[in-house]
Amino acid sequence: MSEPTRSSSKGLPQPLTAAIALLAAFILAIRGANLLYPPGHNSSGWLWFLLAAITAAFAFAGFQRREGEVLPAARPACFQPARRVGWALVLVGAGIVMALATMIGLSTTGNHQLFRWTWLLALALLLGGSFLFGALGSGTLAPWRAKAPADRKINWLEVGGLLLLVALALILRIYRLNDMPPGIFIDETNAALDALQIMEGRQDSPFGTGWFETPTMYAYYLVALFRVLGTSLVALKAASVIPSVLSVAALYPLARLMFGIPAAFAATFLLATNRWHMTMSRWGWNEVAPLLFMIAALFFLLRAVRDRRASDYALAGLILGLGHYTYLASRLVVLVLVLYLIYRALFERDFLRRNWRGLALSAILYLVAFGPLLMTYVQDPFTFNNRSQQVSILHDMTTFFQEQGGPTPGAAATVLSVFGFPREISLQPLQESLFRHLEMFHVSGDLNPRHNLPGEPMLDPVTGALMILGLGFAAYQVFRPCPVSDAEKRTAVPGISGGHRYTLLILWLFVPLLGGILTRLDEAPQAYRTLPVVGAVVLLAAVAAVRSVDVFGWGLRSMVGSSWSRWARAVPAVLMGALLLWAGVVNARLFFSVQASDGRVWQAFSPVETAVAAEVAGKMDDHSLYLSPRLYNFSPLQFLSYRSPDRGGGGLREPAYQLAEPAIDLPLSDPFGQDALFLLDTYYRDVPELFRATYPGARFELVEGPGGQPLYLSVTVPGDEILALQGLQAAYTLDSDQSPVTGPYQGAPQFRWPADLAGQATASATASWSGSLKIPDYGGYAFQISGPGLLFLDGQLWSEPRFLGKGLHSIEIRQIEPGSDIDILLSWTAPKQGSGPVPPNLFFRAVPPEQGLQSSTYRGELWEGEPVFSRVDPVLLFAWPEDEPWNAPFSVRWQGTLIATQEGSYRLQLRADDGVRLWLDEKIVAEGVTPDTVNMIDVAVPLTAGPHAIRIDYFQRGGGKALEFWWQPPGEALKPVPPGAMVPAQQ
């Protein structure tokens, strides 16, 4: 370790003066924090903070320039013999050639699966050559002074302390992981579904992009976790927990390298207990990874500059390049390092001369690591800038200009035009976003409950105040990149001492904030996209904490003399340790007690999706599961109920549940006899007759969340009632002058006489089998009768193929040749089913809906020509899948009678995607016919008690497909119009 040396610099504060100034700085900082902290926010707190920063900088600078500082000793690399350098050049050259071959191959053949191996080989060759190089830079082949043996001893106390901090970070990130966060968000599971597709054999390029332009390499990382931990919630959360804990572990060596051991312990503890970092660490997502890659890249870069080791330069470039495969914030991480190197090149003599070889090697490794993904961005710029453009603050700047008017200031307009931005924008939203992000640390943090306890400052008062004190000292050091005083020169460690460390912290603090400042104003401040700044925050706070101990100890020593000097330092060290410990307790209490129980946080983490997924996962082994369209497509459900084909499941293509719309999917064609569980949108509770008309024993449960908020409706249908409806009703006429013998028939699609009745039948005997046939899919159907029979469907003799709508259709099979020895087989050719006998579980002793509105569906969006199919819809609660009834365009007309139960004002509501028009008593009441969007009709109409003619015209041009019909009778709540309130028009 380098030892501090005293210097008698004139004009610097004396020990007691510095201690008093620092005490004043703490008082000013506490006052500023109290004024800024909600709810009593007072902007004058910023002035107190400014005074605190200036006063602290005065005190810290006095101690540093008089006493120096303790930093780890350098471990300079040796210059290697020419032969070894030659082999290193061969390996590096081979790596560059292999990298060029990879880029050319990717651009010409697109075979990413093959060239990922050549890419890995190129990286391996470059790293191997770098490790052979030894030292890089100016000098001779003579090695630097070797370290003393004592320097190589491991300080087991230090290692033990670090392990304790890492264990603390792990505990704080996995404790109550099942309920905090209280649910799972779609961003997490959408990326997980990409990983599952890869596991099922989809050949995704590791250099491509997936969900929201997330680099596919992240999906391969998830694949590795799923293979080790299984496709579970724990495995998904581990995707964030692992890099977050590694970030805590990696921060220690970086902080130790930059500021020494005490600062390293303080910074690591602050990051381990930081609520902001803890919150993001529990997402199963990639937002925590850029901080880890930044810390690691900085460590190797700073150590490389200090020790001139080629392998460190190479690792810095490699890690920085691989960071691009994580999250978009990694782009700002690169900007931080580039600006830092530019600063050092401008302010440090001979910096580039000493380091250009190593920096060139870093650049090569960076470009090779990032190159394949960069090729994707070049070939398809959409994958690079789409997400950034979606959330860009330029939308707000343009909108504000259009609404408020006024030219952009001349100088600003010139700058904007240089960077390719339009002049017709306002800077007001950008200014507002900047202010919000500066206030997020102490005043009002991220309002998104997934990112933060809404509005709570991102930092606790202790960390926030210490950061301000450290920031003041860092600003003072910006133009002092090299040691200045005699004490600093004698204690300097090559490549690491000096003010450039603080410039790095300032860049680290403010540049990643651009990830939030430049995004939409309604999301500001953004704690998610700016997470890398946490590293700078804790380092600034740690520097302030350690230097405060030094200054206060310095002042006490000057008062009590040398005999009490050890205690003089111990007292402020204990007090500062207690203060940091209190900050950790505040963060943990706020996270696990307040944030974890906040209803807004619970609401933000997809409570419906999470609850539905949990019930499906728990009951899919002993229930037949059916979900309404909105619930069926939840990505959390797809992930949490996933069973891989390798383990007997159906994978993503055949989940353990089925899509169901009760209005057209009842009764159930389930031949297994187990209970069926429907999980439905809550509004189905207002139309229980949909189930009870078919299954009287159906049981209803409204599943609620904390505070009684309805989540979804659970409907259990007894298995015996499901089986009881299956089959047809048979009527056997033994003789032409006798009444038929009736009874259930289970033999469809094969129709023959039962043996006991066949023996009693005469030569004139006939039979018929009637009931309903459930059509499982929209499309064209062809039926064939083998044997002496006729098919009547929907009351009409079947003669030729035609399009049939999904749902129940009345059916009758008539025997046309007398006698009891007939054998009739009903076969079909059906979409998605192929050709063959009609499945027996599609026949029911039930009738199609008789209450509701008569629907007629047309090709095209103008209700022209003959309807393709018609049926009675008992309720209008439709959310058609993409291929139903066919790809757009189509149009539907519902007609019938609406029964008003009493006289009064009725609220009628239609929610449509695309357009809709409402007719009542043969007059247009309202319409919303804008295509390619959601249209809403919400009107109040006076109705007399009794029937009223109603007609609803709906058209679909493309995109989402939905139509819902709601009403609110006098004195009642808004609910779907029930079947009993509608009578279909007669065709």
Side-chain angles (χ1 to χ4, degrees), residues 364-533:
I364 291 172
L365 265 294
Y366 168 77
L367 290 174
V368 173
F370 179 36
L373 181 59
L374 182 61
M375 291 288 296
T376 298
Y377 290 153
V378 170
Q379 293 172 343
D380 185 5
F382 177 87
T383 62
F384 177 79
N385 57 28
N386 175 57
R387 183 56 177 160
S388 300
Q389 290 179 348
Q390 284 179 336
V391 299
S392 173
I393 199 171
L394 279 174
H395 298 291
D396 300 294
M397 297 168 74
T398 303
T399 302
F400 193 89
F401 178 87
Q402 294 170 347
E403 294 177 351
Q404 303 296 325
T408 305
T414 302
V415 173
L416 290 171
S417 63
V418 168
F419 287 96
F421 296 117
R423 291 171 175 262
E424 295 76 17
I425 59 177
S426 171
L427 297 179
Q428 184 65 32
L430 183 62
Q431 176 182 310
E432 177 64 23
S433 182
L434 174 62
F435 288 157
R436 291 186 190 181
H437 282 85
L438 293 178
E439 290 182 337
M440 68 188 285
F441 300 101
H442 303 92
V443 181
S444 178
D446 199 321
L447 298 174
N448 188 330
R450 289 190 298 275
H451 305 163
N452 181 41
L453 179 62
E456 183 74 13
M458 302 310 301
L459 302 179
D460 63 89
V462 173
T463 305
L466 288 174
M467 183 196 80
I468 292 295
L469 301 185
L471 187 59
F473 183 55
Y476 166 77
Q477 295 278 41
V478 166
F479 296 104
R480 300 178 64 253
C482 297
V484 175
S485 68
D486 292 339
E488 289 177 298
K489 289 178 180 178
R490 282 193 291 271
T491 61
V493 175
I496 196 61
S497 294
H500 63 83
R501 297 170 293 166
Y502 299 93
T503 302
L504 172 60
L505 294 186
I506 291 176
L507 291 172
W508 190 347
L509 181 65
F510 290 109
V511 171
L513 281 181
L514 295 175
I517 294 170
L518 298 180
T519 55
R520 301 190 71 107
L521 188 59
D522 58 1
E523 297 182 8
Q526 249 286 348
Y528 178 87
R529 301 186 185 112
T530 58
L531 182 62
V533 305

Side-chain angles (χ1 to χ4, degrees), residues 176-184 237 449 595-607 610-611 706:
R176 292 177 54 187
L177 189 59
N178 286 330
D179 59 65
M180 186 58 191
I184 192 168
K237 296 298 184 182
Q595 190 170 331
S597 59
D598 191 278
R600 295 166 296 177
V601 176
W602 172 82
Q603 186 66 49
F605 277 95
S606 311
T610 301

Side-chain angles (χ1 to χ4, degrees), residues 661 664 778 803 855-869 871 873 878-894 912-916 931-932 952-963:
E661 292 186 273
I664 56 177
Y778 296 95
F803 193 103
S855 71
S856 300
T857 303
Y858 302 82
R859 294 195 183 275
E861 53 187 272
L862 298 177
W863 308 277
E864 294 177 332
E866 290 294 321
V868 178
F869 69 91
R871 70 181 179 208
D873 291 324
F878 291 102
W880 290 274
E882 186 174 344
D883 58 348
E884 292 187 358
W886 54 77
N887 292 328
F890 68 89
S891 49
V892 187
R893 174 168 290 158
W894 286 274
D913 185 356
D914 293 343
V916 67
D932 304 318
I952 298 171
D953 290 344
Y954 164 83
F955 73 86
Q956 167 59 221
R957 178 174 293 181
K961 309 175 187 179
L963 188 284

Side-chain angles (χ1 to χ4, degrees), residues 124-204:
L125 289 171
L126 287 167
L127 280 179
S130 301
F131 275 87
L132 286 178
F133 261 124
L136 284 180
S138 58
T140 65
L141 290 178
W144 287 12
R145 178 183 61 84
K147 288 178 38 165
D151 292 339
R152 288 195 287 265
K153 287 185 178 179
I154 297 176
N155 187 332
W156 290 108
L157 185 61
E158 182 182 357
V159 172
L162 174 59
L163 291 177
L164 287 176
L165 290 179
V166 173
L168 174 63
L170 178 61
I171 291 170
L172 290 175
R173 283 152 182 78
I174 64 174
Y175 174 62
R176 292 177 54 187
L177 189 59
N178 286 330
D179 59 65
M180 186 58 191
I184 192 168
F185 192 56
I186 58 173
D187 283 3
E188 304 174 73
T189 49
N190 281 342
L193 294 183
D194 281 341
L196 295 181
Q197 294 278 12
I198 293 172
M199 291 175 66
E200 291 186 6
R202 194 173 73 184
Q203 296 294 307
D204 283 7

Side-chain angles (χ1 to χ4, degrees), residues 750-763:
Q750 195 84 25
F751 299 95
R752 57 170 61 97
W753 281 66
D756 58 334
L757 292 179
Q760 306 174 41
T762 66

